[in-house]
Amino acid sequence: MVKKDTTKIKNELIISGLQTAGKAIGLHTSKSKTKKTIEENLSLVNSLMRAGFSHKNDATSRVKKNIELAGMGAIAFYNFYKGIKQKRRAYIIQGAFLSTALIMVILTSNKIKKTTPQLSSTNAG
């Protein structure tokens, strides 16, 4: 009971903080709209990270990763486009958030691949 209440209070504080930050930059939204937007974007980023940092190195996982990366890029671009066309800062900020997550996953997953030790095949003969 206490853990559930603590989690609920923590989530409400985070949403209130993000809503206040949004008001500071000129975005006035309700708590429910802020919560819905955060949930959608974090779900997208979560699936992107899951695909980007998967340890499988077979062809299907690479294709899945490429599809996830391309999809996230398209969603981020669409949010930018929609924000510019409708003159809404909220969509531009969502596009910036998603593109930042995309860039970080690409850079980090490439860095991890370069630093992982590769087994070299040497012939002892």
Side-chain angles (χ1 to χ4, degrees):
M1 182 79 173
V2 173
K3 185 176 182 180
K4 189 174 182 180
D5 291 339
T6 306
T7 305
K8 184 178 178 182
I9 291 170
K10 186 170 54 170
N11 290 343
E12 290 294 321
L13 284 173
I14 291 170
I15 291 170
S16 296
L18 289 171
Q19 188 178 17
T20 304
K23 285 180 184 177
I25 60 172
L27 300 173
H28 302 284
T29 59
S30 66
K31 263 190 182 176
S32 61
K33 174 104 171 124
T34 304
K35 183 177 179 180
K36 182 180 175 189
T37 303
I38 291 168
E39 287 173 352
E40 289 171 355
N41 288 332
L42 289 181
S43 173
L44 289 171
V45 171
N46 188 27
S47 68
L48 175 71
M49 292 181 104
R50 198 173 283 134
F53 297 122
S54 123
H55 292 291
K56 294 180 182 175
N57 201 17
D58 57 349
T60 56
S61 65
R62 280 181 285 185
V63 168
K64 181 181 177 186
K65 178 184 174 185
N66 291 338
I67 290 171
E68 289 279 341
L69 293 174
M72 182 62 76
I75 292 169
F77 176 75
Y78 178 71
N79 279 334
F80 274 125
Y81 174 75
K82 195 163 137 181
I84 291 170
K85 187 173 182 176
Q86 295 180 1
K87 297 180 182 171
R88 296 198 129 183
R89 275 192 232 163
Y91 290 122
I92 294 172
I93 291 172
Q94 285 180 20
F97 172 73
L98 293 175
S99 61
T100 303
L102 175 66
I103 290 168
M104 295 308 294
V105 167
I106 289 171
L107 291 176
T108 309
S109 66
N110 286 339
K111 191 174 190 179
I112 288 173
K113 285 181 186 176
K114 288 180 182 176
T115 59
T116 54
Q118 301 276 333
L119 294 177
S120 62
S121 59
T122 57
N123 294 336

